[in-house]
Amino acid sequence: MSYSTSILRKITTTLVLGFAAAAVNAQSIDTLHAPAPALPGVYADPNIAVFNNKFYIYPTTDGTEGWQSTQFSCWSSANLTDWKNEGVILDLPVDLTWAKVRAWAPTIATKNNKYYYYYTADVNIGVAVADKPTGPFKDPLGKPLIRRGLLGGQMIDPMAFVDDDGSAYLYWGQGQCNVVKLNADMISCDTSKITSFKPEGYNEGPFMIKRKGLYYLMWSEYDTRDPRYSIAYATSKSPLGPFVKAVGHPVLKGKGVVKGAGHHSVVQVPGKDEWYIAYHRFKIPDGNGYNRETCVERMYFDADGNIKPVDVFGKLKPVKMKAGKK
């Protein structure tokens, strides 16, 4: 074999191996084939929670321009991958006297052996109460908890957070973030003690978690109709702030065929440092800001406590919980 032939074979082998490696790499970062949504149909703004060894998702019913939905539903799962529709848990025209339409972005918390469901109705925030996480939920006030126009921005996207000491806080707001400590009854608050602020990039959908003594305030940036819709966060040593935005650590954003990934919630597997994020994206295919679908994916922290970027192309595996944990 001549010297030139030997060189040619080495070059050919290198090219073949290079193409093979490129093919494997391309397959590993495929952005054209997203995983199926967690819930069938069009649902947005998912609030994920865990009660009594079962996971629940409380979403906005999507599919109408201007988001004209009138009902809220609940979905349950024992493993985060197989979901059952528990039916309508709150019907605005039937269950409320003060709002009939625009049922958006709910959240839920438990305390006092009751379940408290906070929701947006006609750009007000209401609260409903039930004995079970699947309802039926009843309006105890006959009026909004937070009325539209009370503050700057829209009174939407509530998030209820119960701290380790039992103190409960309500976060909400589009255009600015608002937070207030809820009274012990969970259905009232002192509106004169509302704190309002606007982290850089904040638009809507606040969500609070606590891990290892640190508070993580997360939110959605851009508009939900914008393909750039995404999630960022800030941290604090207090549920009321001040919060410092995590720079260079976006929680979640679209990529490839996944667009408009945002308005999320997070759940911790009881008894484990294991976290999952629920969010919506434009329906695939042909979705937009009025036709969105709910997804669930694993969320990780690094050694310094930073939230790692979520893989919107991940393959979620069934989750097992420890018996007896709530």
Side-chain angles (χ1 to χ4, degrees):
M1 181 172 64
S2 67
Y3 177 77
S4 59
T5 303
S6 175
I7 293 296
L8 181 60
R9 285 187 175 179
K10 286 182 179 179
I11 293 173
T12 302
T13 301
T14 300
L15 288 173
V16 169
L17 291 174
F19 285 135
V24 169
N25 187 51
Q27 185 177 15
S28 67
I29 58 171
D30 179 9
T31 62
L32 298 178
H33 301 87
L39 305 183
V42 283
Y43 293 94
D45 314 326
N47 187 96
I48 192 168
V50 59
F51 304 117
N52 304 318
N53 270 349
K54 185 174 283 190
F55 296 101
Y56 296 88
I57 287 180
Y58 303 85
T60 297
T61 302
D62 222 16
T64 56
E65 188 157 344
W67 311 291
Q68 298 296 311
S69 56
T70 61
Q71 296 177 330
F72 289 107
S73 63
C74 170
W75 297 71
S76 66
S77 173
N79 61 7
L80 278 184
T81 56
D82 302 299
W83 292 92
K84 174 187 175 183
N85 189 344
E86 298 285 355
V88 174
I89 59 172
L90 189 69
D91 186 335
L92 268 56
V94 174
D95 299 325
L96 301 186
T97 59
W98 50 271
K100 304 299 180 186
V101 71
R102 292 190 280 187
W104 304 342
T107 187
I108 192 168
T110 185
K111 192 176 176 181
N112 311 324
N113 295 316
K114 298 283 186 180
Y115 294 88
Y116 299 90
Y117 187 72
Y118 305 86
Y119 56 92
T120 305
D122 201 19
V123 200
N124 302 271
I125 292 175
V127 58
V129 186
D131 294 323
K132 300 184 297 181
T134 53
F137 286 87
K138 301 297 182 183
D139 176 13
L141 300 179
K143 63 180 181 179
L145 172 61
I146 304 292
R147 60 174 177 79
R148 67 188 301 176
L150 177 65
L151 302 164
Q154 295 188 72
M155 302 299 101
I156 64 173
D157 300 351
M159 189 278 151
F161 169 73
V162 180
D163 208 346
D164 300 330
D165 64 358
S167 298
Y169 302 86
L170 188 71
Y171 301 80
W172 76 94
Q174 184 277 332
Q176 67 182 29
C177 185
N178 310 292
V179 57
V180 70
K181 188 174 182 179
L182 291 165
N183 293 333
D185 62 8
M186 296 289 283
I187 61 171
S188 64
C189 62
D190 184 347
T191 56
S192 70
K193 295 183 179 178
I194 294 172
T195 298
S196 300
F197 53 97
K198 186 173 183 178
E200 181 184 354
Y202 179 92
N203 183 42
E204 62 189 10
F207 197 86
M208 172 63 72
I209 63 172
K210 185 180 183 181
R211 178 181 182 266
K212 297 185 177 181
L214 193 62
Y215 297 86
Y216 294 74
L217 177 66
M218 311 161 78
W219 64 83
S220 295
E221 302 193 335
Y222 300 102
D223 184 271
T224 190
R225 293 161 290 192
D226 191 324
R228 297 173 297 171
Y229 200 53
S230 52
I231 298 168
Y233 77 97
T235 57
S236 176
K237 295 182 179 179
S238 164
L240 298 173
F243 294 94
V244 178
K245 185 174 181 179
V247 179
H249 293 278
V251 177
L252 183 144
K253 61 181 178 179
K255 185 178 182 181
V257 71
V258 175
K259 301 183 186 302
H263 203 125
H264 75 302
S265 58
V266 175
V267 69
Q268 179 182 9
V269 177
K272 298 181 180 180
D273 187 23
E274 188 174 326
W275 302 77
Y276 292 85
I277 184 170
Y279 63 95
H280 71 235
R281 69 189 184 199
F282 288 3
K283 184 180 181 296
I284 300 175
D286 305 322
N288 54 34
Y290 301 112
N291 292 278
R292 302 161 294 179
E293 55 193 8
T294 287
C295 302
V296 178
E297 190 49 70
R298 183 78 182 267
M299 190 181 84
Y300 296 93
F301 295 82
D302 68 17
D304 296 321
N306 300 305
I307 300 174
K308 292 184 177 182
V310 173
D311 181 8
V312 294
F313 292 90
K315 297 183 184 297
L316 184 67
K317 297 179 180 179
V319 175
K320 293 183 179 180
M321 286 189 282
K322 294 180 180 179
K325 295 290 184 180
K326 295 185 180 181

